[in-house]
Amino acid sequence: MKWLLKLFDAMRPMFDEKKGVFRLFTPIFETAENIFFYPADRTKAFPHVRDPLDLKRYMGTVIVAMFPCVAAAVYYFGPRVLAMILMSYVVGGIVEVSFAIIRKGEIHEGFFVTGMIFPLVLPPSTPLWVVGVGIFFGTFFGKEVFGGTGRNIFNPALVGRIFVTIAFPTIMTSGWDAPGAWRGVADAVATATPMALFKTQHVLTPWFDLLIGNTAGSIGETFHLGIILGGIYLIYAKVCDWRIPAFYLGSVVLFSALGSSVPALEAKVAPPLFQLLGGGLLFGAMFMATDPVTSPSTKVGKWLFGVFCGLLTVLIRSFSGYVEGVMFSIVIMNAFAPLIDHVVLAVKYKEARTG
Amino acid sequence: MNVSGELTQALVVAFSAAFTGNILLTKFLGMCPFLSVSRQVKTATGLGWAVIFVLTGTCMLNWAVYRYILVPLNLEFLRFILFIVMIAAFVQFVEMVLERYSPVLYQNLGIFLPLITVNCAILGASLFMVIRDYSFINAVSFGLGSGFGWMLAILAMAGIREKLKPERIPKGLRGPGITLIIVGLMALAFIGFTGVLSGG
C-alpha cells in the first residue's frame, strides 16, 4: 500500500483547500483518501457513538446489516433492483457532492445509508426517474438544507418516500410485482401487498410466506427473516439501541391486540402477528426508527418514541386512507423527537433539583 | 341521539380537529405566531395554552352568537365581522379579568393574549364550526381539539428549533426559511392521518 500512500501524498498539494489547483474538488479527494486510509481525525459531527466506532464503520455496519434484504430483493424482484440502487446513489451522490463543494466541507458517509434505504422502501416497479426525484427531494430538503449528515431532523429516505407517495399516487400504488415474476415463476405478474389484501378483502397472508418474503411489497421490506437477522446484528454491534425497536414492536403488538379484540374494530385492525410480519414495520423499526440522529437521545425518550411510533402505525394502518403507516408514523415522531428529549430532560433536572 | 353517542361523536370531532385536520399542518392557519414564537419550548407552551383557551372560548361564544342572533335575524352574512369583534372583545375581557384576579397567569399569558387576537386560526375555527353545522358540544370539542393540535405543532417546532444548529444551514434559509421547510415536512407526514376518524 506504500505506493498508494505516496500517490495521495503527492496529490495532496493539488487539492489543498486554499492554494491547490483543484481546490474545488477537495471533498472528493478527501473521501477517496479516506476509503483507503483510516482518517487521522475524529468525527466532527453527529452521530457520536460511545464505542471505538467512527462514522464510517457505523454506516458500514448498517450497510452490512441490510445485505440480506438486498440479496433477497434481487432474488425476488430481479436485477432491476440494482439499477434502482445505482440510480439512488448517483442522484443522491450528486446532491451530496455539490453541497460539499459549495460548503467546502467533507462528504459524509451517512449518504451511503440513505442512498441504500431509499430504493429498498419503494415498490419494485417504480420507474427509475421517480427513484431519482425521490432521493433528490429527500437528500436536498430532508438533509442538506439542515446542514448535512448529523444535522437532519427527519429521516431523509422517508422524506423522499412520502414525497413520491403523495406526488405520484398512481405510480406508487399500482403494479406491485409478484415475487419471482421477473423469472416467470409466479402465477401472476402483479398482485396486491399483504397489507392491501387485508384492508380491502380481509385476507390474512400465511405467516410463513411473510417471514421468507414470498409476497408483494416494497423491495427491501418483504424478506422479514433477513431483516430480523440484520436488526439483531445492528443491536449486537451496538450501532442501534435495542429500546426503539423493542418498544416500537411491543406497542404495535399491544395496540393491535387491543384493537382486534374489540368486536366493532375487528374488521379494521389486523391481529398482532400479521401486523409484525406484514408490510414495512420490521424494516422501519430496525433500520429507520433507530437512526440515532432523528430519534431521541435520552433512554426514556427512546422508549416513548417507540411506543408512540407503534400507536401511530396501528392507527394509520387501520383507519386511514393509506395501507401502510410505518413511514408516516416514523416521520411524525421524528418531528417530536427533540420535544420528547426536551421534556424528559426537564423532568429529570426538576427531580434532581428538588430531590 | 343518546348521551354516549353524542360523547363519542364529540371525541371523534376533537381527534379529527387535532390530528386529521390539524388546523396548522393541514389548513395552514395561525402561521404568523407559529413562525415567530416557536424559538423556545417555554414561550411556545405559553402561547399554546393561550390559543387552546381562546379558541375554545370563542368557539362557544360565536356558536351562541351565530345560532341565537345571526340566524334568527337572517344576518348570517355579517358573521365575518361579528366573529372578529367577538374574538377581540373576548380576548380583551379575559386579559382584564386575568390582570385583576390572577397576576401570575397574566404574567405568563399576558404577552400572548393580544398576539392571538389576530391569529387567523381563531377566526378560522369559528368559521369551520359554522360551515360544518356543529352542535354546541361538538363546537366545544372542535375548539379544544383545534387548539390542542395547534399547541402540539408549535411545541414540536420549538423543540426542533432549539436543537437546530444554524451555523451549517445555508445563510438564506436561516430563520423563517428553514422553519417553513420544517412545517412543510411536518405537514407531509401529517397527510398520513388522512381518513382517520374524519367523520363527525
Side-chain angles (χ1 to χ4, degrees), chain A residues 235-256:
Chain A
I235 292 169
Y236 181 72
K238 292 204 172 143
V239 160
C240 79
D241 194 285
W242 61 272
R243 286 177 188 85
I244 292 176
F247 279 95
Y248 191 169
L249 301 175
S251 95
V252 168
V253 169
L254 176 74
F255 288 114
S256 59

Side-chain angles (χ1 to χ4, degrees), chain B residues 111-142:
Chain B
I111 338 146
F112 302 116
L113 277 173
L115 244 179
I116 49 180
T117 315
V118 287
N119 183 344
C120 44
I122 313 282
L123 179 66
S126 284
L127 292 172
F128 278 127
M129 166 196 80
V130 166
I131 294 170
R132 293 179 191 165
D133 207 13
Y134 282 142
S135 69
F136 183 70
I137 300 286
N138 285 351
V140 175
S141 61
F142 179 70

